[in-house]
Amino acid sequence: MKTMGLSRLLLVNPKHFPDDQALARAAGAESLLVTAEVCTSVDAALADCVFACAISARQRNLGPPPLPARLAAAEILARADEGEVALLFGNETAGLSNAEVQRCQRTVFIPANPEYTSLNLAAAVQLLCYELRLAAFDGHPPVLSKTVPFASPPASHQDVQRFFEHLERVMVSSGFLDPRRPRRLLPKLRRLFGRAELECDEINILRGLLDAVERQVAGKRRMASGTSDTVDNSGS
Amino acid sequence: MKTMGLSRLLLVNPKHFPDDQALARAAGAESLLVTAEVCTSVDAALADCVFACAISARQRNLGPPPLPARLAAAEILARADEGEVALLFGNETAGLSNAEVQRCQRTVFIPANPEYTSLNLAAAVQLLCYELRLAAFDGHPPVLSKTVPFASPPASHQDVQRFFEHLERVMVSSGFLDPRRPRRLLPKLRRLFGRAELECDEINILRGLLDAVERQVAGKRRMASGTSDTVDNSGS
């Protein structure tokens, strides 16, 4: 409940309450247990509600209309404008009785694998609370860090173009690209780096690498043209 | 996993496997554990994958792009056309390392309450599997009983109209409705029963009740008009 921003918990005839084991397992969400209200009947728990949903995998013969979890979350939120609303869960072993389900306005089910529908109580509660949170924020609840930290800002179009020009120069000078027979090499590399959405730092790293390659290529050329040139360079 | 129709589980260096306690807790989903594959590294587990998502509440500095669970489910399904896809979860205590997250193409987060984002592993797995199932069936996965069993078939328009005529007759004959001053009573009752979407059986019950009331009203009229009539009636 707390992970999804819910805070009001009502317990109907709990076997043990307060319970040390429950508190220990709450792991940071103790506030919910401490403020939980204990009721002596489902009717007492739902007394102030204008809209209650029974969570049940089974449709009951004279039960309220069924609704899958996602649609139910939207309806619950809409009805919350009118007054208190509730999700009613049965206990782990017995679930809800027909009489309890019939006290609600909807039967809410989680669309599970028809061959194995058995979600445990904690899983069902988590899913419903999650759907409520997403519905409450129209699919986009606030997150801890709203903007994703780019390792560095995205590169500008101009920076990317300069990188491609640099890359092409090196491809040609290294003999990898024959300008008379380009074989679509450049468009393919443009596609790759375009998809990657390069950042400034990455452009710097790539151009640094291209610079280093260019120096090597130039050095080799000088070596090939005469040794004195190379000796001068290394000594300077 | 089984509740949401998933079947392939890979375990990286499990502490105990096979494990009797895990089997006991699987409660009907043992097949998943029995067919689980054990891997010696995350790389081995992801070897055949073309797309892998790391589930993590924390964004990592040089991690892959983040995506909320619902959008991730849609993308995972789309990529499943191209080859194997995977959801990578860390263990309950330590989660995933940066190195593990960086082996994936996306960082998937569950949009939880920023003040308390701590979902346990089982809850996170359940939510992701649920989102995958809903995405796989375009929001409408098949359910156990596709059509909800009406207690009886819905009433026809004509049956409903006859009920309203009957109701109006009784309201007038009982003195509750003054036809010269109707005070919008009928439209209000039409609205109520219209919302309820009456079934055949319910129409029969309501009209049976109206019949009974009519007989009472007629009886009282006869009583009021003269005793001999009443005596005759009771004696016949």
Side-chain angles (χ1 to χ4, degrees):
Chain A
M1 286 178 65
K2 190 166 177 183
T3 60
M4 297 300 148
L6 293 168
S7 58
R8 193 169 171 213
L9 173 64
L10 286 80
L11 300 167
V12 177
N13 295 327
K15 276 190 184 167
H16 309 282
F17 188 83
D19 181 77
D20 285 343
Q21 199 181 17
L23 274 168
R25 288 191 180 170
E30 297 86 356
S31 60
L32 246 123
L33 278 176
V34 170
T35 58
E37 301 158 52
V38 172
C39 306
T40 55
S41 70
V42 166
D43 283 328
L46 299 179
D48 296 332
C49 288
V50 293
F51 189 70
C53 290
I55 318 305
S56 172
R58 285 188 298 122
Q59 292 310 313
R60 315 303 172 98
N61 225 342
L62 291 170
L67 213 53
R70 191 158 297 171
L71 296 183
E75 186 159 7
I76 289 162
L77 276 163
R79 303 299 296 267
D81 286 340
E82 302 165 9
E84 292 287 329
V85 294
L87 292 178
L88 180 64
F89 292 89
N91 69 31
E92 186 77 56
T93 46
L96 292 170
S97 69
N98 284 347
E100 286 164 341
V101 169
Q102 285 171 9
R103 277 161 166 73
C104 296
Q105 281 69 52
R106 296 287 182 279
T107 311
V108 174
F109 64 92
I110 292 163
N113 177 3
E115 288 166 22
Y116 190 70
T117 58
S118 149
L119 270 83
N120 64 34
L121 175 60
V125 171
Q126 183 71 75
L127 281 184
L128 262 301
C129 294
Y130 167 76
E131 283 290 9
L132 275 179
R133 184 168 184 81
L134 261 78
F137 290 100
D138 211 11
H140 300 92
V143 291
L144 204 49
S145 53
K146 283 199 189 194
T147 54
V148 185
F150 261 100
S152 85
S156 71
H157 181 80
Q158 194 174 51
D159 288 340
V160 175
Q161 294 319 303
R162 285 182 183 146
F163 158 66
F164 280 125
E165 288 160 17
H166 197 168
L167 179 64
E168 184 174 2
R169 231 160 41 229
V170 172
M171 284 167 74
V172 171
S173 67
S174 66
F176 178 67
L177 177 70
D178 179 354
R180 290 162 304 179
R181 281 196 226 153
R183 289 176 301 150
R184 302 184 68 206
L185 283 172
L186 272 167
K188 284 177 179 173
L189 287 170
R190 274 188 181 271
R191 183 169 162 272
L192 159 64
F193 287 110
R195 218 166 51 225
E197 300 178 33
L198 292 166
E199 299 169 13
C200 291
D201 278 3
E202 294 165 348
I203 292 270
N204 290 339
I205 293 168
L206 290 168
R207 295 201 61 180
L209 174 64
L210 291 173
D211 276 336
V213 172
E214 269 185 324
R215 277 195 299 273
Q216 287 294 321
V217 170
K220 272 194 185 159
R221 287 234 176 99
R222 279 193 294 272
M223 266 210 277
S225 66
T227 46
S228 64
D229 209 333
T230 313
V231 172
D232 278 2
N233 251 351
S234 64
S236 70
Chain B
M1 285 178 66
K2 190 166 178 184
T3 59
M4 296 300 147
L6 293 167
S7 57
R8 193 166 171 217
L9 173 64
L10 285 81
L11 300 167
V12 177
N13 296 327
K15 278 191 184 165
H16 309 283
F17 187 81
D19 183 76
D20 285 343
Q21 200 182 17
L23 275 168
R25 288 191 180 171
E30 296 86 357
S31 59
L32 248 124
L33 278 176
V34 170
T35 59
E37 302 157 52
V38 171
C39 306
T40 54
S41 70
V42 166
D43 283 329
L46 298 180
D48 297 331
C49 287
V50 295
F51 189 71
C53 290
I55 318 306
S56 172
R58 284 188 299 122
Q59 292 311 313
R60 314 304 170 100
N61 225 343
L62 291 171
L67 213 52
R70 190 158 297 172
L71 296 182
E75 186 158 7
I76 290 163
L77 276 163
R79 304 300 296 268
D81 286 340
E82 303 165 10
E84 292 286 330
V85 295
L87 292 178
L88 180 64
F89 292 90
N91 69 32
E92 185 78 55
T93 45
L96 292 170
S97 70
N98 284 349
E100 287 164 340
V101 169
Q102 284 170 9
R103 277 160 166 74
C104 297
Q105 281 68 52
R106 296 288 182 280
T107 311
V108 174
F109 64 92
I110 292 163
N113 176 4
E115 288 167 23
Y116 189 70
T117 59
S118 149
L119 269 83
N120 63 34
L121 175 60
V125 171
Q126 182 72 73
L127 281 184
L128 262 300
C129 294
Y130 167 76
E131 283 289 9
L132 274 179
R133 184 169 184 80
L134 261 77
F137 290 99
D138 211 12
H140 299 93
V143 291
L144 204 50
S145 52
K146 284 200 188 191
T147 53
V148 184
F150 262 99
S152 85
S156 70
H157 183 79
Q158 193 173 50
D159 287 342
V160 175
Q161 295 319 303
R162 283 182 184 148
F163 159 66
F164 280 126
E165 287 161 16
H166 198 168
L167 179 63
E168 184 174 1
R169 228 157 46 226
V170 173
M171 285 166 73
V172 172
S173 67
S174 67
F176 177 67
L177 178 71
D178 180 353
R180 290 162 303 181
R181 281 197 225 154
R183 287 177 303 150
R184 303 184 67 207
L185 282 172
L186 272 167
K188 284 177 179 171
L189 287 169
R190 275 187 179 270
R191 183 169 162 271
L192 158 65
F193 286 110
R195 219 165 52 227
E197 299 178 35
L198 291 167
E199 299 169 13
C200 291
D201 278 3
E202 293 165 348
I203 292 269
N204 289 338
I205 293 169
L206 290 169
R207 293 200 61 180
L209 176 63
L210 291 174
D211 276 336
V213 172
E214 271 186 322
R215 277 195 298 274
Q216 288 294 319
V217 171
K220 272 196 185 159
R221 285 234 176 99
R222 278 192 295 272
M223 266 211 278
S225 66
T227 45
S228 62
D229 210 333
T230 315
V231 171
D232 278 1
N233 252 350
S234 64
S236 67

